[in-house]
Amino acid sequence: EIVMMQSPATLSVSPGERATLSCRASQSVSSNLAWYQQKPGQAPRLLIYGASTRATGIPARFSGSGSGTEFTLTISSLQSEDFAVYYCQQYNNWLPITFGQGTRLEIK
Amino acid sequence: EVQLLESGGGLVQPGGSLRLSCAVSGFTFSSYAMSWVRQAPGKGLEWLSTISGSGGRTDYADSVKGRFTISRVNSKNTLYLQMNSLRAADTAVYYCARADYSYGSYFDYWGQGTLVTVSS
């Protein structure tokens, strides 16, 4: 099983600033990495797939990078609606599909 | 518009059974693999099971293998999860999700979730 590790667990950032979230895989997942945003009481929402491709309707301030074992989600200028929990997911060695434990992005 | 709507959650005693349903609309259901993902209270996401578009292939997480069964009826645009021998650790919100481009893929659409509580 591929273990996905996200850091930090909690990130405090002021609105308008940049946020950088990290995700590391225990072995290479190539570019088969997705990012999701989840707000309280809501289902996860796909942000990024293929490590760097934005899903339909996702604003350009969200960007993903990386390959192999190291990945980054960057939010260039935080809006109030961006404060949420973010999960990464690998689907390379997909059985089982695994998620990171999440990073909580909170208002500083 | 793609929509997924789960139902069937509720309170069940340990050792009991429950069947969840996920009714979908807005896309050709039989063309997509579908999955169940759960989230225990205050915890992260856990993949449980995937079924191919035809229903001919299924896979399960070790945590539910032998207890849960995924199925689908394409003529009804509905996905199911039969859950037996339920434990307190199965308490969670259960989501159905569509696999975007292949059997083992990321999930581009999710339902709103249904809460399952296992307690005496």
Side-chain angles (χ1 to χ4, degrees):
Chain A
E1 172 178 326
I2 296 179
V3 178
M4 306 301 293
M5 295 159 284
Q6 293 185 241
S7 62
T10 303
L11 182 61
S12 299
V13 182
S14 299
E17 294 189 340
R18 175 188 298 257
T20 302
L21 290 68
S22 296
C23 176
R24 175 178 294 180
S26 60
Q27 63 189 77
S28 177
V29 298
S30 186
S31 295
N32 296 308
L33 190 286
W35 289 95
Y36 300 88
Q37 176 193 69
Q38 188 179 34
K39 297 179 180 180
Q42 296 186 15
R45 173 194 182 195
L46 177 67
L47 297 175
I48 300 285
Y49 62 91
S52 61
T53 302
R54 278 189 302 277
T56 302
I58 301 304
R61 64 181 182 273
F62 290 90
S63 63
S65 63
S67 66
T69 62
E70 301 282 344
F71 300 89
T72 300
L73 174 69
T74 301
I75 311 171
S76 60
S77 178
L78 279 164
Q79 308 297 304
S80 58
E81 62 266 29
D82 299 335
F83 292 95
V85 179
Y86 292 83
Y87 294 95
C88 61
Q89 175 224 332
Q90 69 80 20
Y91 52 97
N92 184 59
N93 182 2
W94 73 272
L95 184 62
I97 287 170
T98 49
F99 294 87
Q101 82 282 11
T103 290
R104 180 177 305 278
L105 181 57
E106 63 177 30
I107 300 174
K108 186 174 182 179
Chain B
E1 179 189 7
V2 172
Q3 291 189 324
L4 292 79
L5 183 63
E6 301 95 337
S7 61
L11 176 64
V12 61
Q13 293 188 338
S17 298
L18 210 56
R19 188 177 81 158
L20 305 183
S21 299
C22 172
V24 314
S25 60
F27 64 98
T28 304
F29 183 53
S30 60
S31 295
Y32 290 86
M34 298 291 295
S35 295
W36 288 96
V37 176
R38 72 182 177 186
Q39 186 170 36
K43 303 299 184 182
L45 301 168
E46 179 188 15
W47 168 80
L48 298 180
S49 183
T50 296
I51 186 168
S52 63
S54 67
R57 179 181 177 181
T58 59
D59 284 282
Y60 298 91
D62 287 346
S63 60
V64 302
K65 196 174 296 183
R67 299 189 301 125
F68 290 11
T69 302
I70 192 172
S71 63
R72 63 193 297 160
V73 177
N74 286 342
S75 61
K76 294 186 176 182
N77 285 353
T78 304
L79 175 73
Y80 300 99
L81 186 67
Q82 177 67 42
M83 304 186 295
N84 298 331
S85 303
L86 284 162
R87 310 163 179 167
D90 295 317
T91 294
V93 174
Y94 285 72
Y95 296 101
C96 61
R98 189 180 85 167
D100 185 19
Y101 75 95
S102 72
Y103 187 70
S105 176
Y106 53 89
F107 306 116
D108 60 346
Y109 288 95
W110 298 63
Q112 87 292 344
T114 187
L115 176 62
V116 173
T117 303
V118 184
S119 175
S120 55

